[in-house]
């Protein structure tokens, strides 16, 4: 599920939240001059105003033709259902046609489509008054015959897709209607009688699935019982306990599903895994009181159901991965790939929405593509939900939000309001969507609406059981009251506004922290410091800072509030200098004069600009180029890195290469034979496990049980760890922390190696084998004793003792891991000779024994700024060795050396770019981004590359920096500079100005440079619309002041600041020409660059040296 939305609510007692909301309703109606019924009528009328039928009809017409084409080409079951759905409800057509709906539903049911079964059952059920469509043959049936049909259809809906509403309706009818109960028991009796008769395996599997579903109904908890025939409507999953809807399924029900699965039935696998996934209680034997706790992962059975064609299998695999997996590149890639498969198989709206989120959310391994996300969201509006869970309309608002904020499409408030209204037409209105529509109306962006309309929507949102949306609605009502926008006849005044603020704060206590909750609290504290508590004024900046700090991990709509919080924080933080506050006030006026806008919109504009200039295919093009280079190398000779990299290409499907585990395995084996230790790790992970739900398409060999898979993987991973692959060590560590089978296996491995060492000494085993056993014992003990989380002297001493024994016999792995322990543990654990040598010293010892992992560790230390006691000649050799091995950090360091000459590397910018791109292609674990900021990569392309498309590549990296970092000026300034200097042909100077302005609001040490660039723009007569010498002089003065402050206080980027100051004095930008000071600052720039030790500052040093030479 979308974690950004579902993770907003704390797991509190439901009664407590219900009590809070009921009390709030009572209090609110006591101050409103309207009743509940009248409020609902007003909201319906507002929704009707903003719903544009022609826009929906256009989407439905397009979808209709698409589904008809699917029917013609592949007889697609879901397409039949959707066409029937459209005819039943008259979507995208002039009128309803129940006959055609029946026809298409029946065609879909032939292919076991669970939604068609349920919808047809509902046609037979009739409306709330029991009336049926005239074309249905209901009048020819008696009540029992009609119930027989409905029971069968609802049972099919549950058996074929675990339809939530079908389960709920069956349970309610079973509990409250004797004939329904008798009919279900009759079906159970018929199945029990028929189960032993000869029949096909598919028929037998179907009977077992039916039996399992009926058994679930018989053993459902009374807590889930319905006592009335209330209408089944969409429910908010935040208020529905999904676990209680399944409750105590009997052991016999699980056995039935498992029997169906053993017959090769995809529904059996799906039903078993799905029911178990939602019912984490111990298996309960219906015939006894005994319980047996079983460790269970649903992924294996879900995967089998998907592979055998269940339309919901892939979707549920993704749900399980999200629930059980970690936020890693590999897991996130797998989630996105699984959703793509799910969308291809079924195309349910919840599947499409989840897939769209992967192109909107900032998780590792996911690429931004807001245009593609919008297309999926539009498609989701015209298709039906899978109904695995209660329909959740909250997520639909994303589409309206994209139009409102201009993400992936131009800003269109009418379209945004339409999509919000579309969602609000559905049952159980989404309060978040109400608030968003109300805000559009409040800000006067929509025709035919008044401020009273927004108030009604806010009031309705206040009454919903969703604390965050209700809190925001209360907050907006308070703001409207304080601003005096509502007449007294509606019943608002300032005291009521204070009440709303208090309600909002109370509701926010039930919300998990997120940028919006922090932002709201900060605002409320700042507005109510006098009325509620004077100390609140001190809390506001803290909450705004917390909101801004959550920017990277936030969903799209919460990023907007993180930006707003950042602006509030910068304007009010107590440590701010007076001149900076004056700068911000000046910028506010400028933004208002130029754009008739507010700072938050300028900041958001910079985000949208960055989205436009990001190149989604950039990485794939690098992969494609490097793939051809690796193939060429293998044609020339066997190359271990080429084999290793091609193995990764085929394993992960990089650069559009089709995944092929068998080819990947072949390349890894060849890499190992040539001495590439990293290949052991990748080879181990190509071994899959059916029990853990590994997709056979992604693995070259599958083991049925976790134990068998762990045994095979552990040996390969231990070999990899012995050769210094720290990722293998951490992988074993993680598995041991998560899985019992691995813990037992590690204990057994320790005993085996201890025994082997004792026997080996007596039999005079070869020295290399003995030292390897000692190192492996040390590694296994590190993992078992969890020494990095809970270090204790006895365990650490035992581990060091094992490593010391191996080190005495010159085992480089022992030196390496002693160095690793030195990096991770407190020095108090080291005694004697171990205390004297530091971590780099151990790594150098191992490197001298040609231990590759130690060389790579030394490269990491060098990039981290550590001083290493080695000559440049030795460092260069280590970098060459690491690069030939395929280490991205070694290749990156060589690239940087070819730019700035570090470690005596010969400067060659063309080769530098080639090395940089190779490093990016070989960076399979995203380590470069943690070392080299995106804007620095962009600057390398801009200033050091000679390729024809260097500016396109530069703008991509500058855009990436803006999108992923809120507290970043440099990316905005650099992208703005490219636009200003017309390096991007289609770009507008408007974009450059907005980027510079947004950089100033961020207010870091680069803000002076943004002022300087704005001064240059406003003083340039080419930009007639913006030519303003007074504004230019003001920005030059602010730039001068910021540069002087930087030099006096921070000392960072001193080279660049001195260079620009020299230029300002030389040209008279905002001050009188002063050649003496210009020369002084040029010289300072040259001197300061030695201390900056940065490739960007190197460029300014060269510029300063050239300018100074002209003076001389």
């Amino acid at each position: 599920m979308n974690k950004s939305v579902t993770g907003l609510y704390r797991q509190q007692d439901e009664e407590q939240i219900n009590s809070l909301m009921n009390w709030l309703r009572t209090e609110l109606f006591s101050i409103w001059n309207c009743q509940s019924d009248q409020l609902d009528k007003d909201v319906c009328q507002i929704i009707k105003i903003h719903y544009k039928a022609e826009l929906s009809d256009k989407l439905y017409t397009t979808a209709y033709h698409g589904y008809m084409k699917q029917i013609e080409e592949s007889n697609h079951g879901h397409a039949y259902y959707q066409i029937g759905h459209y005819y039943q409800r008259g979507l995208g057509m002039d009128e309803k046609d129940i006959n055609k709906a029946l026809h298409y539903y029946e065609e879909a049911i032939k292919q076991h489509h669970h939604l068609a079964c349920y919808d047809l059952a509902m046609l037979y059920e009739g409306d709330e008054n029991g009336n049926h469509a005239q074309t249905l043959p209901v009048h020819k049936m008696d009540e029992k015959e009609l119930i027989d049909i409905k029971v069968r259809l609802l049972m099919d809906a549950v058996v074929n897709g675990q339809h939530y509403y079908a389960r709920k309706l069956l349970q309610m009818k079973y509990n409250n209607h004797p004939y329904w109960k008798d009919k279900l028991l009759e079906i159970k009796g018929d199945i029990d009688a028929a189960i032993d008769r000869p029949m096909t395996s598919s028929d037998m599997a179907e009977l077992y699935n039916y039996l399992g579903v009926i058994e679930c109904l018989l053993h459902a908890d009374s807590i889930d019982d319905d006592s009335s025939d209330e209408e089944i409507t969409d429910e908010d999953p935040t208020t529905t306990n999904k676990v209680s809807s399944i409750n105590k399924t009997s052991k016999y029900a699980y056995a039935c599903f498992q029997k169906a699965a053993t017959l090769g039935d995809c529904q059996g696998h799906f039903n078993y895994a799905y029911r178990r996934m939602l019912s984490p209680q111990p298996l309960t034997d219906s015939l006894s009181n005994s319980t047996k706790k079983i460790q269970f992962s649903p992924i294996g059975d879900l995967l089998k159901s998907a592979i055998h064609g269940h339309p919901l299998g892939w979707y549920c695999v993704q749900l399980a991965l999200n629930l059980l997996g970690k936020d890693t590149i590999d897991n996130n890639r797998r989630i996105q790939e699984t959703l793509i498969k799910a969308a291809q198989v079924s195309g349910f709206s919840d599947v499409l929405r989840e897939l769209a989120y992967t192109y909107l959310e900032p998780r590792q391994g996911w690429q931004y593509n807001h245009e593609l996300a919008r297309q999926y969201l539009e498609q989701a509006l015209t298709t039906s939900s899978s109904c695995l869970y209660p329909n959740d309309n909250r997520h639909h608002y994303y589409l309206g939000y994209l139009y409102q904020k201009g993400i992936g499409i131009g800003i269109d408030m009418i379209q945004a309001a339409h999509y919000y209204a579309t969602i609000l037409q559905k049952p159980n209105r989404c309060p978040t969507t109400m608030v968003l529509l109300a805000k559009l109306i409040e800000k006067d962006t929509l025709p035919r609406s008044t401020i009273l309309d927004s108030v009604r929507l806010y009031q309705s949102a206040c009454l919903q059981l969703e604390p965050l949306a209700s809190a925001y609605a209360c907050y907006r009502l308070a703001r409207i009251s304080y601003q005096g926008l509502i007449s007294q006849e509606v019943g608002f005044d300032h005291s009521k506004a204070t009440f709303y603020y208090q309600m909002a704060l109370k509701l926010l206590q039930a919300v998990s922290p997120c940028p919006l909750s922090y932002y709201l609290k900060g605002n409320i504290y700042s507005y109510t410091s006098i009325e509620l508590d004077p100390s609140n004024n001190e809390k506001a900046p803290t909450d705004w800072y917390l909101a801004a700090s959550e920017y990277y991990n936030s969903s799209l709509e919460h990023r907007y509030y993180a930006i707003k919080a950042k602006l509030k924080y910068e304007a009010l933080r107590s440590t701010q200098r007076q001149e900076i506050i004056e700068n911000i006030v000046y910028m506010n006026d400028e933004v208002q004069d130029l754009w008739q806008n507010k700072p938050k919109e300028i900041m958001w504009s910079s985000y949208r600009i960055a989205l436009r200039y990001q190149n989604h295919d950039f990485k794939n093009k690098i992969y494609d180029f490097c793939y051809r280079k690796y193939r060429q190398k293998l044609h020339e000779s066997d190359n271990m890195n080429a084999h290793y990299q091609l193995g990764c290409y085929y394993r992960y499907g990089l650069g559009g290469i089709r995944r092929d585990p068998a080819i990947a395995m072949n390349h890894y084996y060849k890499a190992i034979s040539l001495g590439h230790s990293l290949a052991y790790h990748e080879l181990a992970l190509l071994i899959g496990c059916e029990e853990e739900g590994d997709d056979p398409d992604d693995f070259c060999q599958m083991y049925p049980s976790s134990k068998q898979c762990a045994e095979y993987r552990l040996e390969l991973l231990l070999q990899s760890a012995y050769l210094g692959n720290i990722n293998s060590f951490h992988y074993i560590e993680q598995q041991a922390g998560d899985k019992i089978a691995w813990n037992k296996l590690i204990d057994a491995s320790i005993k085996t190696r201890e025994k082997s060492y004792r026997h080996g000494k007596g039999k005079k085993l070869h020295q290399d084998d003995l030292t390897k056993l000692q190192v492996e014992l040390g590694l296994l003990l590190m993992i078992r004793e969890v020494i990095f989380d809970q270090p204790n002297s006895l365990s650490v001493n035992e581990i060091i003792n094992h490593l010391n024994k191996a080190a005495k016999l010159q085992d480089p792995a022992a030196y390496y891991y002693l160095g690793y322990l030195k990096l991770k543990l407190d020095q108090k654990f080291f005694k004697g000779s171990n205390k004297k040598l530091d971590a780099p010293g151990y790594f150098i010892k191992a490197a001298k024994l040609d231990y590759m992992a130690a060389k790579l560790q030394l490269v990491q230390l060098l990039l981290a700024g550590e001083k290493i006691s080695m000559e440049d000649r030795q460092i260069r050799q280590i970098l060459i060795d690491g690069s030939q091995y395929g280490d991205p950090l070694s290749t990156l360091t060589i690239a940087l050396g070819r730019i700035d000459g570090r470690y005596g590397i010969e400067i060659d910018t063309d080769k530098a770019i080639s090395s940089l791109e190779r490093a990016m292609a070989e960076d399979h674990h995203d380590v470069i981004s943690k070392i080299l900021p995106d804007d620095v990569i962009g600057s390398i392309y801009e200033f050091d590359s000679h390729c024809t498309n260097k500016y396109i590549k530069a703008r991509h990296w500058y855009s990436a920096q803006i999108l992923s970092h809120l507290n970043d000026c440099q990316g905005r300034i650099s992208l703005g500079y490219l636009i200003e200097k017309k390096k991007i042909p289609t770009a507008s100077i408007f974009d450059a100005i907005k980027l510079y302005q947004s950089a100033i609001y961020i207010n870091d040490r680069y803000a002076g440079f943004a002022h300087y660039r704005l001064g240059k723009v406003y003083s340039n007569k080419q930009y007639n619309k913006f030519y303003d010498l007074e504004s230019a002089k003001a920005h030059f003065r602010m730039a001068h002041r910021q540069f002087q402050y930087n030099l006096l206080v921070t000392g960072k980027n001193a080279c660049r600041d001195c260079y620009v100051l020299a230029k300002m004095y030389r040209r008279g930008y905002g001050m009188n020409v002063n050649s003496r000071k210009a020369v002084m600052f040029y010289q300072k720039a040259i001197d300061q660059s030695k201390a900056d030790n940065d490739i960007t500052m190197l460029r300014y040093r060269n510029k300063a040296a050239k300018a100074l030479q002209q003076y001389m």
Side-chain angles (χ1 to χ4, degrees), residues 744-773:
K744 292 180 179 177
L745 189 57
I746 286 168
D747 286 337
S749 296
I750 290 172
K751 291 177 182 176
T752 300
R753 280 163 174 77
E754 287 175 340
K755 185 178 179 181
S756 298
Y757 182 75
R758 288 194 301 270
H759 291 176
K761 283 182 70 177
K763 294 180 179 179
K764 297 186 178 180
L765 198 65
H766 192 277
Q767 175 178 303
D768 291 347
D769 295 326
L770 288 173
T771 58
K772 184 181 178 185
L773 285 170

Side-chain angles (χ1 to χ4, degrees), residues 124-125 141-154 170 173 177-184 187:
Y124 282 109
E125 179 76 358
M141 306 178 190
D142 61 25
E143 183 182 0
K144 290 185 177 181
E145 187 179 358
L146 190 59
I147 290 174
D148 287 352
I149 293 173
K150 288 188 286 187
V151 168
R152 297 285 181 181
L153 287 169
L154 290 172
L170 275 172
K173 296 287 189 181
H177 294 267
Y179 186 77
W180 281 74
K181 183 174 183 178
D182 292 343
K183 185 62 186 176
L184 285 165
I187 293 173

Side-chain angles (χ1 to χ4, degrees), residues 789-850:
D789 294 332
Q790 304 162 6
N792 64 81
S793 298
L794 287 175
S795 298
V796 173
N797 288 338
E798 185 180 359
I799 292 163
I800 290 175
N801 183 45
H802 283 297
L803 295 177
N804 278 336
K805 287 178 181 178
K808 285 178 183 178
L809 297 173
Q810 297 294 294
D811 189 308
Y815 287 129
Y816 174 77
Y817 280 106
L818 283 168
Y820 185 73
L821 289 175
K822 274 275 188 172
L823 285 177
K824 297 293 183 180
L825 297 177
D826 194 286
Q827 294 304 305
K828 68 181 181 181
F829 292 108
F830 299 94
K831 300 172 183 177
S833 60
N834 294 120
K835 197 169 187 178
K836 297 175 184 177
L837 204 58
D838 61 5
Y842 278 115
F843 294 141
I844 290 171
K845 274 191 168 189
K848 286 178 179 178
L849 295 169
D850 204 28

Side-chain angles (χ1 to χ4, degrees), residues 37-191:
D37 292 345
Q38 184 59 47
L39 177 61
D40 190 60
K41 288 179 182 178
D42 291 346
V43 169
C44 288
Q45 186 60 35
I46 296 165
I47 293 168
K48 188 176 179 181
I49 290 171
H50 296 289
Y51 176 76
K52 308 295 180 188
E54 65 275 12
L55 295 177
S56 289
D57 288 345
K58 185 178 178 181
L59 284 179
Y60 280 115
T61 301
T62 302
Y64 174 87
H65 292 302
Y67 285 125
M68 289 302 291
K69 186 176 179 181
Q70 283 186 330
I71 290 172
E72 292 170 7
E73 293 177 351
S74 61
N75 201 36
H76 199 278
H78 184 65
Y80 276 117
Y81 164 73
Q82 284 299 155
I83 296 296
H85 183 78
Y86 293 165
Y87 277 117
Q88 182 189 348
R89 290 164 174 79
L91 299 173
M93 49 195 66
D94 295 333
E95 58 183 18
K96 301 177 183 180
D97 191 326
I98 299 300
N99 283 333
K100 286 186 177 180
L102 280 172
H103 165 70
Y104 284 104
Y105 282 155
E106 287 168 356
E107 290 298 318
I109 288 171
K110 290 177 184 177
Q111 298 185 42
H112 308 289
H113 198 284
H114 68 296
L115 297 183
C117 296
Y118 178 77
D119 282 13
L120 186 54
M122 290 301 95
L123 280 175
Y124 282 109
E125 179 76 358
D127 61 20
E128 57 186 9
N129 297 318
N131 298 320
H132 300 84
Q134 293 183 355
T135 54
L136 285 175
V138 175
H139 61 279
K140 300 178 182 179
M141 306 178 190
D142 61 25
E143 183 182 0
K144 290 185 177 181
E145 187 179 358
L146 190 59
I147 290 174
D148 287 352
I149 293 173
K150 288 188 286 187
V151 168
R152 297 285 181 181
L153 287 169
L154 290 172
M155 285 289 293
D156 283 341
V158 179
V159 167
N160 295 324
Q162 289 296 326
H163 196 295
Y164 172 82
Y165 298 108
R167 292 199 316 263
K168 184 175 180 180
L169 183 58
L170 275 172
Q171 189 68 63
M172 183 268 290
K173 296 287 189 181
Y174 176 84
N175 291 336
N176 295 286
H177 294 267
Y179 186 77
W180 281 74
K181 183 174 183 178
D182 292 343
K183 185 62 186 176
L184 285 165
L185 292 174
E186 178 188 330
I187 293 173
K188 182 178 183 299
D190 292 342
I191 294 172

Side-chain angles (χ1 to χ4, degrees), residues 21 69 135 157 222 230 398 400 407 593 629 653 713 741 770 796 802 811 863 892 1008 1023 1082:
M21 297 304 295
K69 186 176 179 181
T135 54
S222 59
E230 59 180 324
Y398 259 85
I407 302 298
D593 291 342
K629 294 281 284 186
R713 279 183 176 174
L770 288 173
V796 173
H802 283 297
D811 189 308
L863 282 170
L892 173 66
Y1023 307 123
Y1082 278 138

Side-chain angles (χ1 to χ4, degrees), residues 33 43 51 102 148 304 309 353 507 855 933 965 1030 1071:
N33 292 332
V43 169
Y51 176 76
L102 280 172
D148 287 352
K304 288 175 183 175
R353 286 198 306 269
L507 287 165
K855 296 178 182 180
H965 294 83
E1030 289 304 313
M1071 60 194 72

